[in-house]
Amino acid sequence: MYRTALRNVLAHKGRLLMTALSVMLGTAFVAGTLVFTDTLGSALRSQSAKSYTDIAVTVSDRGAVSNGYDRRGKGPTGPTLTEETRKAVAALPGTAEARGVVSGFAGIADRKGALIGNGFSTTGTNYVPGADGTDPRYPLVEGQGPKNAKEIALDRKTAEKGGYKVGDTVRVAVNGPVMELRLTGTVSTNDPRVVSGGSLAAFDTATAQQLYLTPGRFAEIDVKAKPGADDTALLAAVKQAVPQGDSIEARTGRELADEQDRMIEAGTKGMSSALLVFAGIALFVGVFIIANTFTMLVAQRTKELALLRAVGAGRRQVTLSVLIEALLIGLTASVAGLLAGIGIAAGLRALLNGPLEANLPDGPLVIGPSTVIATVAVGVVVTVLAAWLPALRASRIAPVAAMSSAEQPATQKSLRVRNAIGLLFAAAGLGGLLAGSAAKEVKLVGLGAGALLIGVFVLTPLLSRPLIAMFAPLLRRLFGTPGKLARENAVRNPRRTAATASALTIGVTLITALTVVGASVNKAVDEATASDMKADYTVAMENFSTLSPEVATQIARTPGVTAMSVMRTVEVETGTDGDTDWLTGVDANTIDRLATLKVVEGSADALKQGQLLSSRGYAERNNLKVGSTLAVTYPDGSQGTLTVGGLLESSSVVSGLLAPDAVVGAHASAGSGLDKVLVKGANGADPKLKQALRDATGGNPLIAVKGEKDIKAENRQMVTAVLNIMYGLLGMSVVIAVLGVVNTMAMSVFERRREIGMLRAIGLDRRGIGRMVRLESLVIALFGGVVGVLLGVVTAWAGNRTMAGTFKNITTVVPPVQVLGFLVGAAVIGLLAALVPARRAARMDILGAIKSE
């Protein structure tokens, strides 16, 4: 039986090629994912380790936030790290050097005023020269380090991107007006944020403290040990030398490196898990192709297998021969997939570091034993499991079947059992979708969608006849006899048609669901933006940090501004149990002109009386109503009581707790940051006003001025970017589905070669034969596409219902152009997949085909 299995593999290598390709592509996705994430993780850990090479102990002040405050409005409280602290640490016996560190963000503008890099990796820090005038953490490439508030140093790549040379004037901004500083030098750095495409701006220490903290204060002190000093002993000494407080923490460099490694591992593991989901989808599609191929091969070898039974082979031996055949194919394809996956990982890294400029750290490709084992095991297991049912079917072929070469049809009993199982799965899946959408449970919707998908797959043979029958009149009218024959061939073997179409259905279902959800979210966000925001423009930081309070003053002086309001969100303690909530301060006199306040109880004018407006959801959760009082502990530690003057419907502009900024600002730390500023102009959304607002903020590249159109376009861009990534990841499953259609059509032509010869003999020309095969493939592909679109729309509808709390009044939007495009794409796939099989069928020798068995 082993020799028989090997002979069958070699004898049918052409027919099994597409099956092997589908396994190879699926396992290549798995291998590529594992190799890429392992390589990325190794490179990131290696790069991270360099940051802690010379650090024995680090003392950090967790209360030190950029500009002396954070979004919670909390300023420096308790003990801080000062120059005296640094000197005390430097004087310890085991200390070789103690470096005070200040850091934050700093946007560098190019010569056109645009931000270099993105707002999330614009790094600012202090340059600390040693005895030789250089900072060992930032080796000089050219020039020298900054020495006063008028000077700056940049990393080499940022200087090159901006076209700056030593001596040039550089435009730099933090969260306020732009500063024009002289570039004194360029440096190199292994900071991951900078290496991955960010920017580095280095100031002298006094300037950095003024920009990011308060004069004389550090966020961190890095300690370098003397040769031979024990890090643990030095840590104990450092803890005694620094101020004691909840915000002051001392740890060894090894601990920090280990923590960074854990974060990197968690991040790469999350990325790997997400990519493996799509690899699983690709393999799931491959299952249909493998099962379909082995089903057809078993049907073609009915006489052979029956003869084996007749000469003494047992059922177990027949089953084993088919499974060994699948094992050999799976093993060969998995090894090929592993090699292809290594190439995919190398190509992906080259792509990200090249055209996409992701600037991933360099390092060798990591191909671990677990990757090799997982890839081969997955490919073999998937192939063998997919061939299991065809193998069982082969073992049940009666020896008397050797007297006939005809394919053994499925019994009515097996079809009834299959339909009953399909109906159960479909009903359970539909119930899960309805229950999940009603309860707004995403996991339940996901389980329901999966069960419904399986149910429809099982029912596909039953569905194929009526759905394909819809195409019959059109096929007959347009293509005559070839069209009629194509329709009959498509429904002749519903199991085969179902398996072929199902592979394509998976991809179409997922792509349709994503597209419908994306269109629905876009519409909901657009409508919310249009209805909730009355302001013509919002002014906020690109990296979602806080604006300097000076910006509000500058905007108020801008010509053409008729109304404006700050939005300042701080964290407060409410009640007596120490719970924390977000409190947003707004201008009580103008907010109703800048945002839609949907008052459901009470009055919006309560803000002008110093009272509180609460979202209805918050009020219900905390048993509040109009007239209730709320005890509040503000960021500065003072306590007060706010009276609820009205209840609001949450919107995209205002939500949670709303109070006059006169109250919030008075109890926040000095110069507390602003989330954004809402602005209304005399002439509406006027481009001149937009430019005036940019000019008023000093042309800060980190400050964005956005109108309604800008916000809508930004939201659509984000959704489109996510969809494009998803489409790309689903591309592999679509490719495998195409291979499945090609495989099915090729084997179908081989099975029907006698029939094709007879058609030629009675007058159907070569063109008609080719057209018949192409139309059959087209009908099967369209059938899969139609089922996929319907499933995708239903799934998206249920998914949209779960987002009703996030996106108010979200409705399911089915974009007709995109959906029609998916059906056209399915049709094109069907036609392309049939090109080679149709050509072979048309060129088949008539007499040879008639004589074939």
Side-chain angles (χ1 to χ4, degrees):
M1 299 309 295
Y2 294 105
R3 289 195 297 270
T4 300
L6 181 60
R7 180 183 62 80
N8 285 331
V9 171
L10 297 176
H12 302 105
K13 51 183 176 291
R15 304 181 212 173
L16 295 171
L17 177 62
M18 294 301 176
T19 300
L21 279 176
S22 66
V23 178
M24 187 200 75
L25 289 175
T27 53
F29 203 153
V30 173
T33 295
L34 295 176
V35 171
F36 176 73
T37 53
D38 287 349
T39 299
L40 179 60
S42 175
L44 288 173
R45 285 191 294 271
S46 176
Q47 185 182 76
S48 174
K50 295 178 182 178
S51 302
Y52 300 101
T53 301
D54 297 328
I55 298 177
V57 176
T58 290
V59 185
S60 58
D61 179 0
R62 290 178 297 178
V65 225
S66 178
N67 293 297
Y69 57 86
D70 61 9
R71 193 172 181 272
R72 297 171 298 176
K74 295 183 178 181
T77 57
T80 60
L81 300 178
T82 63
E83 177 63 20
E84 288 71 22
T85 307
R86 189 197 67 79
K87 289 180 179 179
V89 173
L92 293 173
T95 301
E97 179 186 352
R99 169 195 176 97
V101 178
V102 183
S103 61
F105 60 86
I108 313 298
D110 61 19
R111 294 189 179 277
K112 295 182 180 180
L115 179 67
I116 299 176
N118 61 67
F120 300 99
S121 56
T122 55
T123 306
T125 189
N126 60 320
Y127 189 86
V128 184
D132 60 353
T134 64
D135 188 333
R137 291 196 67 185
Y138 304 110
L140 281 170
V141 176
E142 187 180 2
Q144 62 182 16
K147 297 181 179 178
N148 56 57
K150 298 294 184 181
E151 297 178 345
I152 191 175
L154 301 177
D155 69 281
R156 178 179 55 83
K157 289 186 178 180
T158 297
E160 291 174 354
K161 291 178 182 178
Y164 293 120
K165 296 180 180 179
V166 173
D168 288 348
T169 299
V170 179
R171 291 167 46 89
V172 188
V174 180
N175 65 343
V178 171
M179 302 173 288
E180 295 189 349
L181 308 177
R182 187 174 70 86
L183 181 63
T184 62
T186 58
V187 301
S188 61
T189 178
N190 57 16
D191 187 324
R193 294 170 296 178
V194 182
V195 173
S196 61
S199 61
L200 174 70
F203 307 92
D204 70 286
T205 297
T207 302
Q209 289 174 330
Q210 183 66 40
L211 288 172
Y212 298 123
L213 296 172
T214 53
R217 188 182 182 198
F218 295 109
E220 185 178 297
I221 296 177
D222 293 336
V223 184
K224 181 179 180 181
K226 289 180 178 179
D230 180 68
D231 289 357
T232 304
L234 182 57
L235 174 64
V238 168
K239 287 183 176 180
Q240 295 297 320
V242 300
Q244 303 301 306
D246 293 338
S247 65
I248 306 298
E249 182 180 37
R251 290 189 291 176
T252 64
R254 182 67 264 166
E255 290 176 334
L256 292 173
D258 290 343
E259 180 180 337
Q260 192 71 19
D261 286 350
R262 287 192 294 270
M263 293 173 62
I264 291 171
E265 183 179 357
T268 53
K269 185 177 180 181
M271 179 191 301
S272 177
S273 299
L275 293 174
L276 286 175
V277 168
F278 291 93
I281 293 172
L283 285 169
F284 185 56
V285 173
V287 166
F288 290 93
I289 298 171
I290 299 166
N292 202 19
T293 300
F294 275 93
T295 298
M296 289 187 287
L297 286 175
V298 167
Q300 290 172 9
R301 298 199 326 248
T302 298
K303 192 171 186 177
E304 173 189 334
L305 294 173
L307 284 172
L308 286 174
R309 291 291 313 282
V311 298
R315 287 187 175 185
R316 184 175 181 182
Q317 288 177 302
V318 172
T319 301
L320 191 61
S321 71
V322 177
L323 292 180
I324 292 173
E325 189 176 342
L327 175 65
L328 294 173
I329 295 171
L331 185 61
T332 304
S334 298
V335 172
L338 175 63
L339 298 176
I342 295 171
I344 289 173
L348 180 59
R349 187 173 65 171
L351 175 66
L352 292 173
N353 280 337
L356 299 182
E357 297 183 349
N359 297 301
L360 300 179
D362 293 328
L365 284 176
V366 178
I367 308 168
S370 60
T371 297
V372 176
I373 294 172
T375 302
V376 175
V378 165
V380 170
V381 169
V382 166
T383 308
V384 172
L385 286 179
W388 186 269
L389 287 178
L392 288 178
R393 196 174 297 122
S395 69
R396 294 171 182 170
I397 296 175
V400 72
M403 304 300 295
S404 172
S405 62
E407 181 179 336
Q408 301 300 305
T411 64
Q412 290 298 317
K413 179 181 178 182
S414 67
L415 289 175
R416 285 196 296 269
V417 171
R418 175 172 180 153
N419 292 338
I421 294 173
L423 286 172
L424 287 175
F425 268 99
L430 192 58
L433 285 178
L434 294 174
S437 63
K440 297 180 175 56
E441 286 289 341
V442 177
K443 290 183 179 179
L444 187 55
V445 167
L447 291 174
L452 179 61
L453 199 60
I454 293 173
V456 170
F457 289 161
V458 176
L459 288 172
T460 304
L462 180 66
L463 299 174
S464 61
R465 290 182 178 275
L467 288 179
I468 292 178
M470 295 190 306
F471 302 111
L474 185 63
L475 291 173
R476 285 196 300 267
R477 187 175 298 112
L478 294 179
F479 304 106
T481 299
K484 179 180 179 181
L485 291 172
R487 182 262 175 189
E488 292 177 353
N489 288 334
V491 298
R492 176 189 299 179
N493 191 330
R495 288 177 180 270
R496 179 189 303 165
T497 298
T500 306
S502 295
L504 189 60
T505 297
I506 297 172
V508 176
T509 297
L510 295 173
I511 290 174
T512 301
L514 289 172
T515 303
V516 172
V517 169
S520 304
V521 169
N522 277 334
K523 182 182 179 183
V525 172
D526 285 353
E527 291 180 349
T529 301
S531 63
D532 297 342
M533 192 176 80
K534 295 180 180 179
D536 296 317
Y537 293 104
T538 65
V539 181
M541 297 292 289
E542 285 278 16
N543 57 3
F544 301 107
S545 59
T546 55
L547 284 164
S548 168
E550 298 174 4
V551 173
T553 304
Q554 294 162 346
I555 290 175
R557 297 171 182 169
T558 303
V561 174
T562 58
M564 61 158 284
S565 173
V566 303
M567 296 193 73
R568 183 200 317 259
T569 302
V570 298
E571 190 179 33
V572 297
E573 293 182 7
T574 56
T576 58
D577 51 7
D579 288 343
T580 58
D581 290 296
W582 297 105
L583 177 65
T584 301
V586 296
D587 190 322
N589 295 315
T590 60
I591 187 62
D592 58 342
R593 298 174 57 190
L594 300 162
T596 301
L597 301 180
K598 302 174 183 177
V599 181
V600 294
E601 189 176 344
S603 171
D605 290 336
L607 280 176
K608 298 177 183 179
Q609 302 167 15
Q611 294 182 341
L612 183 73
L613 294 182
S614 168
S615 67
R616 180 161 59 178
Y618 180 89
E620 290 174 352
R621 291 191 301 272
N622 293 274
N623 298 317
L624 296 177
K625 58 184 180 180
V626 174
S628 298
T629 58
L630 186 68
V632 176
T633 301
Y634 294 103
D636 62 358
S638 62
Q639 297 180 342
T641 301
L642 292 173
T643 301
V644 178
L647 303 183
L648 299 172
E649 285 286 359
S650 294
S651 72
S652 59
V653 180
V654 293
S655 61
L657 299 174
L658 215 61
D661 190 59
V663 175
V664 176
H667 295 290
S669 60
S672 177
L674 310 176
D675 290 354
K676 65 179 69 172
V677 179
L678 304 178
V679 180
K680 194 168 189 64
N683 300 316
D686 183 5
K688 293 181 179 178
L689 175 60
K690 187 175 185 178
Q691 186 59 48
L693 292 172
R694 286 174 175 164
D695 294 340
T697 57
N700 187 331
L702 280 171
I703 296 180
V705 180
K706 299 176 183 177
E708 181 181 322
K709 291 183 179 179
D710 301 317
I711 295 173
K712 289 181 178 179
E714 187 178 70
N715 291 330
R716 286 182 174 275
Q717 187 177 9
M718 292 172 60
V719 173
T720 301
V722 172
L723 289 179
N724 288 339
I725 293 173
M726 295 294 187
Y727 291 156
L729 293 173
L730 289 172
M732 188 71 76
S733 62
V734 175
V735 171
I736 294 175
V738 173
L739 293 178
V741 179
V742 175
N743 200 18
T744 299
M745 296 311 303
M747 299 191 77
S748 176
V749 168
F750 178 82
E751 285 182 348
R752 301 203 310 265
R753 56 194 185 281
R754 174 182 288 182
E755 174 188 321
I756 292 172
M758 292 297 296
L759 289 173
R760 289 291 314 281
I762 62 176
L764 191 62
D765 59 10
R766 289 185 173 182
R767 180 178 296 179
I769 293 292
R771 181 176 296 171
M772 176 189 72
V773 175
R774 287 192 296 271
L775 288 175
E776 179 184 350
S777 179
L778 173 65
V779 168
I780 293 174
L782 279 176
F783 168 60
V786 169
V787 174
V789 166
L790 294 175
L791 285 174
V793 171
V794 172
T795 302
W797 169 82
N800 287 338
R801 292 284 301 273
T802 66
M803 297 187 289
T806 304
F807 303 100
K808 296 294 183 183
N809 301 319
I810 186 171
T811 57
T812 298
V813 178
V814 181
V817 175
Q818 286 94 322
V819 170
L820 181 61
F822 299 151
L823 292 177
V824 171
V828 171
I829 287 173
L831 291 174
L832 292 177
L835 287 179
V836 174
R839 188 176 182 182
R840 286 184 177 178
R843 293 186 174 186
M844 195 174 291
D845 179 70
I846 298 177
L847 294 179
I850 293 175
K851 289 192 301 180
S852 65
E853 296 184 358

